[in-house]
Amino acid sequence: MCASRNIWITIGKRNYSVETALDPGAVERIESLVAAACNPLAKGIGQEELLMLTCLQLAYSLDKAASALEGLLKKVE
């Protein structure tokens, strides 16, 4: 990990200041995941709703990945 620093992350219509010790590569991957989860077609909704939908999409993606890993672990065992 790098020394703690302040970065800006865009989610939906706003930029957010975040303190992090993650390396630049990890930050780029996280920004990419958030951008993919954030629905750009949701132009008529407010930022709060967009954040909630993005959170739900990320949770769904995490659940799918966890299920896939569980399946792989069962096959390995």
Side-chain angles (χ1 to χ4, degrees), residues 56-74:
L56 290 173
Q57 181 61 42
L58 289 169
Y60 174 70
S61 297
L62 182 60
D63 184 59
K64 274 183 23 181
S67 293
L69 285 174
E70 285 177 18
L72 287 173
L73 283 173
K74 286 180 182 175

Side-chain angles (χ1 to χ4, degrees), residues 27-41:
V27 171
E28 285 181 28
R29 290 190 302 277
I30 290 167
E31 287 176 323
S32 178
L33 288 167
V34 170
C38 189
N39 186 352
L41 301 176

